[in-house]
Every structure is written in structure tokens, then in C-alpha cells.
Amino acid sequence: MGSTQAVAAPLPPGHIRVDQVGFAPAESKHAFMMTRAGASGARFSVVRDDGREVLKGSAGRDLGPWNGTYGHVYELDLTALKEPGRYRVRSGPMTSPAFQVSSAAPAAPASKILSFFRAQRDGGRRHHNDRAAAVYDWPEFTGPDTDQIKGKPRRIGGPVDVEGGWFDAGDYLKFTHILAYVDTLMYASIRDGGGTGGGGADGSDTRLRREATHGLKYLDKMWDGKSKTLYIQVGIGAGDEDATYVGDHDVWRLPEKDDTSKHPFLRHRPVFRAADPGKPISPNLAGRTAAAFALAAQVETSRTRATALLNQAAAIYAMAKTDKVGRLVTSLPYAFYPESAWRDDMELGGAELALAALRLGDGRADGWLRQAAHWAGQYLEHEAGGDTFNLYDVSALAHADLIKAIRQADAASPVTANPVMGADGLPALIAVDGPVSVSEGLPVTEQQLVDDLRAQLEIGVKRAAGDPFRAGAAYDEFDSVPHAFGLAATSRLYRTVSGDRAYDAFGTRQRGWAFGANAWGVSFVAGAGQNAIRCPHYQISNITGRPVVGAVVNGPNADSLFHDGLGNHLEGMRPCPSDGVDRYAPFTGHGSRFVDDVRSWQASEPADDFAAVALYALTLMSD
């Protein structure tokens, strides 16, 4: 009796990629068909869950090859599909994942992202020892691109209470630089989403407020108003070169284990400050931290509490070091978050202070508005043109809110003032005869700010024009997914201040790319979509086996980062995928690769700043 030899299943002729979350009825809608052979003019149809065919069409022009296997990508226009329902796209033997058409579809993942932040919460049973943490001097590292420390950290103070906040990413370090950005976007989501935070029927509005408040309580601990000290970090990434002690990244474990760990710097985590007490603070930190408190003041229902928040924001903003800035302070080591732009943070802080003051009828509003405008002008002169909305460049939000502040100030009443430069180099006010509108004396105009928002969008538009999947972010670099969501958010910020909907469809495409309309067919938000990431580089879910719903990962990255492989599994790390097979290897292309594997920190590690900009984009797009 002859043996039966297994025959490998033939490769499909191609794949249909679509936003697996879905679209609002009036939005533009597109999918992509990636094929091995040419398929120009191929017919496709859209089918409801009940099997009813509701739309037919033909593939558009060939957008070019993706890689050596898939030499053709075609766009499928689904915009005519407006009836609410659950659908799939079919063409020959190819069928897409399911997606929704619903007014709630674009906003639905926002609630999932809030679940991620809930899972990221520190405090309570986690790091109780942070309530009495020691303060350490900045460590010296063995090289510019390593977190390995020379010698042993030197204690210089404490104890201080730094319990709470959120873990930064898949690890358990905490950074003020990140948390201030995250809380700023949470409060912006509350304000700009009408309090809904991308929903409301499921209680997500209340959950968002609770989460934002949780972050603000931690920021309040990180700022010591009495000594004028800002603490910037809890924990160290690695130990020393002789392995006499370890850091956060050296041990794969649950956070609950740290308080009784045998490792001294896991059991009692070091705290670091931005500068000596009372000394000026790196302006990126001062600007974004002030912005978080000022945004909280804008949505706080208690006038007394809102005023206190405004005053706290003002105190932090006033500590900014804007002369001889040098290298910015973000984290230790700096290589973790190598930010270079800071004038956008100062613009943002000033704009949020002005908006909060205008809301409260505080006479300081005009001064902050002029400071924000000053820094906006400096940003346009020195920093514009290199980046789009993300952790390292918040100018999109800063521009939009500065425009709002200018319009509110002009609408409130003309002022009798003329700006001059004060002794500190910032705009001051002196009275003159006759009314002058606020906007007339500013160093930037609304149109310049609108133009820069458009210029940022054009960076993405030009990149998308040459990409088969119309991606506006560079996916062969770090942070492609948050950049995609940042572009989506910017498209709506631009529309809000300009009234121009020209970039709405572009923004929707960027959201769609992040949710599955990409070469890999993956939604980069865990639990959002039929084929979402399943094996994030995330200790809690990996150890417990519970999925980390709502986590937003980096996404594809440069193929060269994977040339040395993924390395071994750390002690305590559960292999995921369990069979070790890289199912996305066939879709490596355009110099980029995505790997859904717990070891793939390059592509599959979630982070708070990724989730925050996704949350804000989804909130803005839920109207």
C-alpha cells in the first residue's frame, strides 16, 4: 500500500485588504486587492452577512508592485456603500475580512483603547513601594545608544510618592514626557468629542474622564510646586555592564512581583528629576505638562478646581528653559525618546493656558496667547517641515488650539494693547489709545497656522501618492502606526479651523491603513478587527494569557531591523505564536516587515503614546 504524500495548498491569487473596523455611511471607502498576476478591470462585489450582494464594481488602475510575489495592487472604490450593515468584499476566490458601515464604526475602537489604559494602570497592588521612592542623580551610560549604566546609581534625595500613573509600554517604566502627552490628548478627546470620548452608550465618556483623571493625579505627584521640581522617570531600563544589578528590561515578569523582587532596583525603583529644585526645566517638558493641566482646567466643572489647575499649569509653564536649551530632557537614557523639537510644546502649553483662562475670565489669557503665538512663529521658523503629529511634534494640536484661542479672544472683546518684547525676550503688553483686535498684533497669522497644518498633511499626501496602499506614514521607520493616526487626526483639525474638507478622505485612508487596509492585512489595534495583532510584546497578556484589548502597536518597521532574527525567548516568556511561524513573511516589501511575535519589540510592542493619538483621532472622526 503506497504512502500518501501531503500536498501543500496552492497560494491564493491574492488578497483583499480593507479597514476591518469600518466606515461611517458618508465617508469615502476604499479597499485594496493585492494580486500575484495582473488583474486590471477585475470585477468585485460587496456582500452582506446574509449573502445579499449590494454593490458591484471594477478594480481601478494598477498602483504598482508590493514585492516579488505580489506584483500588483488595485484600489477598490466602495464609497457608494452607505446602508448600515456588516459586509465583505469578494473578487473571484478572494474574500476580505468583515467590516461595518455604521455611524459608530470609526469610533468603536476608542472604547477598546480605554481598556488598554486601564490595564496599564500602576499603583495599588502594583509597585506599592513607589509611595516612598528614593531620588537618584542622572546615571552615566556605557554608550549613546544603550541603557546600560556605568557603575551604580547615586541616591541624592527622597523619599517621594510616585505611585500611580500608567506603564509606558510593554515594560513598567514611567515617563513624565510620555504621560503628559497622553493626558493632554485624553483631555483634548473629552473636550473635542463633546465629552463622549468616541462613544457614550457604553459609558466610554465616563471611563475616559476617569482615565484622564488617573493620569492627572500622577502628574500632580510628579510636580512638586513647593520646591519647583519636576520628576521625569521611575525605574531604570537596564542594569550595569557587570550585571551586578538589573533593570526593568532584564526580567520578564508581572508588575505585582516587583515589590518583593530579589532585584533591588525592581523592588525599590529609582526616581529622577528634570533639573535641580527651582532650576529651569527643559521646555518640551514644561510646555506639554502645562498643557495637560490647562486642558483639564478647560473641562473641569468646578470653577474652584479649574482655577487651581490653571494656576498649576501656569507655574510649570513659567519654569521653561527657553534660552541656551541644548539637548532636551525626555528620558534616561535620552536614546529612549530622542526628541529634538520643543517650540511646538511651548506653543501648545501657551494655547491651552490661554483657552483655559478665556473660559474662566482670567486676565492672564492675553499674555499666554501672545506667548503661544511667539512660539508658533519660532516653530515655523526653526522646526516646521520635518514631521507630522506624533509624540515628537504636537504642533498640529497646538496650531488648531492657538487659532481657537485667537478667535475666542477676538470675539470676547477688542483689547487696548500693543505687543512689545519684554526683558525676558517674550511678548509683553503696553496700553495704547484705541481698540486693537488681538490677532492684529501677533507674530503669526491664522492663515500661516492653517497653511502649516496643510503642509503637514501634504507630507503624508505626497508619500501616499507613491505608495500602493496609499499610506501617508513611512512604514520602514519607527512609529508608523501612530504617525498614521496622527495624520488622520490632523485632517480633522485642519477641517475644524479651515472649514475645508479636502483632506477628509486622506485622513480616512490613514485610519483604514492602521485597521487592516495594508499589505499585511492586519489591524494594528488589538481586538479591533477580524485579523488584529495577537502576539504583542507585552508582558502582562503574555504571562496571564489574557488578551490586551485596545493596545496599539508600532506596526511595520525597517526590514533591516530583523536581519539578526528575533532572538531567544526570555525566561518566563510564553512563545507566541505557539508554532513560531511568521505568517506575515510573504508580505515583507518596500523595505519593511511586520512580525506578530511576542519577541518582536521592533513591530509589536504597544505604547501609551500610540494609543493616545489613536484615541484622539477616533474621537475627532466620530462626528
Side-chain angles (χ1 to χ4, degrees):
M1 189 173 180
S3 62
T4 303
Q5 190 172 18
V7 178
L11 288 172
H15 304 271
I16 297 176
R17 307 307 200 192
V18 68
D19 180 335
Q20 295 166 29
V21 172
F23 312 88
E27 288 185 316
S28 65
K29 308 171 187 69
H30 296 85
F32 295 90
M33 185 168 67
M34 178 172 64
T35 60
R36 296 163 61 84
S40 295
R43 300 292 294 171
F44 71 88
S45 62
V46 179
V47 181
R48 290 179 63 101
D49 261 2
D50 60 10
R52 181 163 60 95
E53 190 176 79
V54 297
L55 182 69
K56 293 182 178 180
S58 299
R61 66 181 180 86
D62 193 336
L63 299 177
W66 175 251
N67 60 21
T69 301
Y70 297 99
H72 309 272
V73 178
Y74 303 92
E75 194 166 44
L76 312 180
D77 190 348
L78 316 179
T79 303
L81 184 65
K82 300 185 184 300
E83 182 181 349
R86 190 167 183 264
Y87 301 95
R88 296 176 190 270
V89 184
R90 293 178 179 171
S91 181
M94 296 175 286
T95 302
S96 78
F99 64 94
Q100 294 281 141
V101 172
S102 165
S103 59
S111 180
K112 296 180 185 292
I113 291 172
L114 288 177
S115 297
F116 169 70
F117 279 109
R118 180 75 186 186
Q120 285 287 86
R121 282 192 180 193
D122 200 9
R125 293 184 301 111
R126 297 171 169 178
H127 299 121
H128 181 82
N129 292 346
D130 283 355
R131 291 184 180 180
V135 181
Y136 285 76
D137 197 4
W138 285 14
E140 183 180 355
F141 298 95
T142 57
D145 298 317
T146 178
D147 57 351
Q148 193 176 73
I149 296 173
K150 285 185 178 180
K152 189 175 183 179
R154 183 175 66 91
R155 180 172 178 170
I156 58 174
V160 293
D161 180 4
V162 292
E163 184 190 35
W166 301 293
F167 307 131
D168 170 57
D171 53 34
Y172 306 131
L173 300 176
K174 297 188 292 190
F175 302 105
T176 300
H177 176 252
I178 307 298
L179 199 140
Y181 170 82
V182 170
D183 223 33
T184 292
L185 294 186
M186 281 194 176
Y187 279 110
S189 297
I190 293 169
R191 181 197 64 188
D192 298 340
T196 64
D202 61 354
S204 59
D205 52 347
T206 302
R207 292 169 59 212
L208 176 54
R209 284 181 177 268
R210 287 176 179 169
E211 215 55 52
T213 299
H214 176 78
L216 199 71
K217 286 180 178 178
Y218 180 74
L219 278 182
D220 184 54
K221 291 183 176 183
M222 300 306 277
W223 167 247
D224 182 348
K226 291 182 179 180
S227 66
K228 295 185 177 180
T229 303
L230 183 67
Y231 297 101
I232 59 166
Q233 181 170 325
V234 178
I236 53 175
D240 63 344
E241 53 190 334
D242 296 325
T244 59
Y245 59 90
V246 304
D248 186 90
H249 297 166
D250 298 321
V251 183
W252 193 262
R253 81 283 182 198
L254 290 173
E256 294 87 340
K257 301 293 186 180
D258 282 358
D259 279 342
T260 56
S261 174
K262 66 180 181 180
H263 302 292
F265 289 118
L266 297 185
R267 186 171 66 252
H268 296 290
R269 304 196 295 173
V271 181
F272 304 94
R273 57 197 185 193
D276 290 340
K279 296 297 183 181
I281 298 168
S282 189
N284 57 319
L285 285 169
R288 65 179 54 196
T289 306
F293 283 103
L295 263 159
Q298 292 173 39
V299 302
E300 173 59 52
T301 56
S302 163
R303 183 179 181 84
T304 300
R305 173 64 177 154
T307 301
L309 289 168
L310 175 60
N311 289 335
Q312 194 161 5
I316 298 169
Y317 193 69
M319 293 298 295
K321 179 183 180 181
T322 57
D323 181 43
K324 298 180 181 179
V325 174
R327 192 170 79 174
L328 299 178
V329 176
T330 56
S331 57
L332 301 171
Y334 171 76
F336 278 172
Y337 291 104
E339 184 180 30
S340 58
W342 57 271
R343 296 168 182 86
D344 56 318
D345 293 289
M346 290 298 291
E347 177 192 355
L348 179 65
E352 304 308 347
L353 280 161
L355 285 170
L358 286 164
R359 176 179 183 244
L360 294 169
D362 190 302
R364 295 173 290 179
D366 187 73
W368 285 320
L369 188 151
R370 293 183 184 281
Q371 288 191 47
H374 168 77
W375 292 119
Q378 291 295 297
Y379 170 85
L380 294 177
E381 181 179 347
H382 298 286
E383 295 170 348
D387 205 353
T388 57
F389 191 10
N390 75 112
L391 173 68
Y392 300 115
D393 191 320
V394 296
S395 61
L397 177 57
H399 290 352
D401 280 4
L402 177 54
I403 291 170
K404 292 176 188 176
I406 292 170
R407 291 174 179 173
Q408 287 184 27
D410 274 344
S413 64
V415 297
T416 303
N418 182 41
V420 298
M421 299 305 292
D424 58 0
L426 294 176
L429 297 176
I430 59 173
V432 297
D433 293 331
V436 181
S437 69
V438 170
S439 56
E440 287 183 15
L442 297 179
V444 293
T445 66
E446 287 187 24
Q447 191 59 53
Q448 285 177 299
L449 298 173
V450 170
D451 288 347
D452 191 59
L453 285 171
R454 186 189 306 112
Q456 292 187 34
L457 288 167
E458 282 297 323
I459 292 173
V461 167
K462 290 176 182 177
R463 185 177 288 126
D467 183 74
F469 290 89
R470 297 298 188 238
Y475 41 71
D476 58 352
E477 299 176 4
F478 277 101
D479 298 359
S480 58
V481 170
H483 272 90
F485 279 118
L487 288 166
T490 304
S491 72
R492 296 314 191 259
L493 290 171
Y494 171 79
R495 183 224 288 179
T496 298
V497 297
S498 70
D500 183 2
R501 291 178 171 265
Y503 294 96
D504 280 13
F506 168 75
T508 302
R509 288 175 187 264
Q510 304 318 301
R511 185 191 74 210
W513 181 87
F515 283 131
N518 53 65
W520 300 269
V522 180
S523 168
F524 299 116
V525 181
Q530 179 179 324
N531 186 35
I533 180 171
R534 292 177 171 84
C535 297
H537 182 78
Y538 188 73
Q539 295 176 83
I540 297 172
S541 64
N542 178 256
I543 294 171
T544 64
R546 296 191 299 268
V548 55
V549 174
V552 182
V553 301
N554 179 83
N557 213 326
D559 183 32
S560 60
L561 293 177
F562 300 90
H563 286 174
D564 294 331
L566 298 176
N568 297 322
H569 291 88
L570 298 175
E571 183 179 349
M573 182 184 282
R574 296 170 53 181
C576 186
S578 57
D579 59 8
V581 175
D582 178 5
R583 290 171 174 78
Y584 298 106
F587 310 119
T588 295
H590 282 233
S592 64
R593 182 178 175 187
F594 177 72
V595 184
D596 190 5
D597 190 297
V598 68
R599 297 167 294 169
S600 176
W601 59 269
Q602 305 96 322
S604 65
E605 183 175 13
D608 292 357
D609 61 292
F610 302 169
V613 72
L615 174 68
Y616 188 49
L618 295 169
T619 299
L620 292 175
M621 302 179 92
S622 64
D623 58 355

